[in-house]
Amino acid sequence: MESYVIRGGMSLKGEVEITGAKNAALAILAASTMTDQTVIIENMPDEADTNALIGAMNDLGVFTHRASRHTVRVNAAKERNIPVDNEGIKKIRASYYLIGALLGKYKRAKVVLPGGCAIGLRPIDQHMKGFAALGASCRIEHGFIIAEAKDLHGAHIYFDVVSVGATINIMMAATLASGQTIIENAAKEPHVVDLANFLNSMGARIKGAGTDVIRITGVEKLHGTEYAIIPDQIEAGTMMMASAVTRGDITVKGVIPKHLDSISAKLKEMGCFIQEYDDAVRVFCSGRVRSTHVKTLPYPGFPTDMQPQITVALGLSTGVSIVTESIFENRFKYVDELTSMGANIKVEGSTAIISGVEKYTGAHITAPDLRAGAALVLAGLVAEGITVVDNIHFIERGYEDFYMKLRSLGAIIEKAEDEPQIEKFRIRYA
Ligand code: EPZ
């Protein structure tokens, strides 16, 4: 089992290039199978989750080729509509995007139930409701979601909750349905817009993505395209928070600053200096951050995927902060680990009450999921002494070259494969 070993205490400084957005890439990869023509996707992150989806697509007979590290060529002309089920796909959430894609293309899909980070119940009722409205019968049987339709037709769908996954899935299926679909209470996240732009570049007719009403006029066929994925809002946000945690000066490059507004606004409240450029944001934090309150909300609110990272930063603030998690019910699992590093945080239901402490101290901890794992690494970067973070496979699901990027900013962090390697690091940096 691999771990990160970190010697805390360095102030991170410099520029870091942000990778393509994982959650946009997953939707776009699934959608790229909806045409038999060749699709070229640029800015594709090279991460465990995207690679797992590519693996599952290959199992269906889809041809994929990484022309370079971040460019993938996809051709689904020889795709077979067989049940989607392999070891890799079971671990990721986005396996369910293949339901929307296959249902749209073949009017039938059978996909193993999704995995993903254990951050709450994560039901899929809104996806099923949307597919049913489009004329598909949906059922869960023997661990598979099965959706089938004689014909898919447009429908007026009102989601009961704002769901990124359901919005994306219905958008894909509705693209190849007959007539018009209207999705109300749609998710507005940047990756929803990115998928809509991608599908439109393949000949789809989608309007309104980025607002809470999306209108889709079905088309008969999609064609090949060449498309570049947007930069990763959460990777950028994580690096910005690394600056706040380590009292650093980091410029995230190759980003869309508008996507980072809610994060920049909180960092300003915390006393950091933010400078925005056309495609970069600089975060400079010279002293201890100030406390503030945060509530996670669908976009453009503060992202749930940044909640652990900001909690780690606020754990070192000068006052008391309240962080409320309103999207997922079980996203404070990392707090016990952070407490073992000296944090003073009390969790009551969906709220964390954080009394800032002056410092964290290094400990041997475990990443419970992707974002919480990244947040614990940030804590290790500033902690006194050495921190070991186990279960880093969670982090590598969604951050490309995470520890190497941190190193390029001055962090002392290495990957260790076993206990002797951890011990060597301890001796070197004791
Ligand atoms: C996506 O998950 C992301 N995953 C998550 O990224 C992210 O945390 C989440 O959106 C919120 O932004 C991918 O894009 C692959 P939702 P998703 O459907 O689509 C409830 C990361 O770290 N809900 O928007 O699964 C649900 O329980 C992660 O990269 C229903 O009730 O999230 C939650 O409370 C983890 N019924 C809320 O909606 C449904 O049918 C939002 O979930 C669907 C969702």
Side-chain angles (χ1 to χ4, degrees):
M1 186 193 48
E2 289 182 325
S3 311
Y4 288 141
V5 268
I6 310 158
R7 167 77 158 78
M10 304 303 287
S11 223
L12 300 201
K13 291 193 170 73
E15 297 181 342
V16 61
E17 198 70 44
I18 298 305
T19 309
K22 169 189 78 110
N23 289 341
L26 292 165
I28 286 173
L29 274 171
S32 71
T33 64
M34 293 172 70
T35 174
D36 285 346
Q37 295 182 7
T38 296
V39 171
I40 296 168
I41 312 169
E42 277 157 22
N43 216 18
M44 172 65 63
D46 182 11
E47 295 159 352
D49 273 21
T50 45
N51 292 335
L53 183 54
I54 290 172
M57 286 159 53
N58 294 151
D59 282 0
L60 299 180
V62 176
F63 167 84
T64 61
H65 169 65
R66 267 203 196 256
S68 68
R69 189 172 185 199
H70 295 132
T71 304
V72 176
R73 182 183 283 266
V74 179
N75 186 291
K78 295 204 172 133
E79 183 180 42
R80 292 166 300 150
N81 189 18
I82 53 174
V84 180
D85 180 19
N86 77 10
E87 274 318 301
I89 201 79
K90 278 185 187 146
K91 295 189 185 131
I92 68 169
R93 192 86 203 144
S95 53
Y96 59 30
Y97 290 152
L98 289 172
I99 308 172
L102 293 170
L103 183 65
K105 193 173 174 192
Y106 302 106
K107 316 302 171 221
R108 185 173 202 281
K110 181 173 178 183
V111 178
V112 70
L113 276 165
C117 287
I119 51 183
L121 282 176
R122 310 191 78 179
I124 52 163
D125 56 304
Q126 299 303 306
H127 304 239
M128 308 273 273
K129 167 176 152 169
F131 293 138
L134 296 177
S137 79
C138 298
R139 57 188 193 279
I140 297 178
E141 234 174 55
H142 306 297
F144 283 84
I145 306 164
I146 302 166
E148 44 200 352
K150 246 187 161 163
D151 287 306
L152 286 180
H153 52 74
H156 197 140
I157 301 164
Y158 193 103
F159 284 135
D160 302 325
V161 292
V162 179
S163 162
V164 173
T167 304
I168 286 177
N169 238 338
I170 301 312
M171 213 155 68
M172 284 196 280
T175 286
L176 291 177
S178 61
Q180 200 190 46
T181 296
I182 300 174
I183 305 176
E184 301 220 40
N185 203 20
K188 296 180 279 208
E189 267 67 6
H191 40 296
V192 171
V193 180
D194 208 32
L195 175 71
N197 289 339
F198 173 72
L199 285 168
N200 283 342
S201 77
M202 295 169 82
R205 293 174 61 197
I206 303 173
K207 284 190 179 156
T211 74
D212 42 25
V213 184
I214 301 179
R215 288 187 164 75
I216 305 149
T217 305
V219 296
E220 280 201 0
K221 264 186 168 205
L222 295 173
H223 53 71
T225 186
E226 198 169 333
Y227 190 84
I229 294 170
I230 52 165
D232 198 306
Q233 174 204 20
I234 306 301
E235 186 199 11
T238 303
M239 293 298 174
M240 290 162 75
M241 220 44 81
S243 192
V245 170
T246 66
R247 301 182 187 184
D249 187 355
I250 297 177
T251 300
V252 288
K253 287 179 64 184
V255 298
I256 299 172
K258 178 88 197 127
H259 293 169
L260 303 169
D261 276 355
S262 63
I263 300 162
S264 299
K266 280 294 151 196
L267 284 166
K268 276 184 202 160
E269 284 173 31
M270 290 157 70
C272 298
F273 168 80
I274 306 286
Q275 194 166 6
E276 277 183 15
Y277 304 91
D278 285 349
D279 64 350
V281 177
R282 175 182 170 209
V283 181
F284 170 58
C285 308
S286 58
R288 236 179 124 181
V289 297
R290 289 198 293 267
S291 59
T292 188
H293 304 318
V294 180
K295 184 173 182 180
T296 63
L297 287 169
Y299 189 84
F302 190 87
T304 173
D305 292 347
M306 282 299 301
Q307 179 263 104
Q309 301 89 315
I310 198 164
T311 299
V312 164
L314 291 172
L316 294 168
S317 77
T318 47
V320 176
S321 310
I322 296 175
V323 172
T324 307
E325 171 57 61
S326 80
I327 310 291
F328 292 109
E329 65 276 8
N330 196 11
R331 224 174 180 177
F332 284 121
K333 278 187 302 183
Y334 63 91
V335 165
D336 283 348
E337 307 291 293
L338 200 55
T339 304
S340 76
M341 300 177 77
N344 183 356
I345 303 175
K346 200 165 159 228
V347 176
E348 281 178 9
S350 60
T351 302
I353 302 151
I354 307 159
S355 305
V357 294
E358 270 188 34
K359 63 170 187 189
Y360 293 144
T361 48
H364 196 138
I365 51 177
T366 299
D369 60 64
L370 165 61
R371 308 302 174 187
L376 290 172
V377 169
L378 301 193
L381 293 175
V382 73
E384 196 176 271
I386 287 171
T387 296
V388 181
V389 183
D390 289 341
N391 271 354
I392 61 167
H393 62 92
F394 281 124
I395 302 172
E396 293 184 346
R397 291 176 61 154
Y399 290 91
E400 184 185 291
D401 297 340
F402 188 51
Y403 81 105
M404 294 303 285
K405 286 187 179 179
L406 293 171
R407 278 166 76 119
S408 75
L409 295 166
I412 301 175
I413 177 169
E414 283 178 15
K415 202 192 259 195
E417 277 171 18
D418 49 26
E419 202 49 51
Q421 283 190 8
I422 295 176
E423 214 33 56
K424 265 192 198 163
F425 183 93
R426 281 190 195 283
I427 293 164
R428 214 168 337 129
Y429 291 105

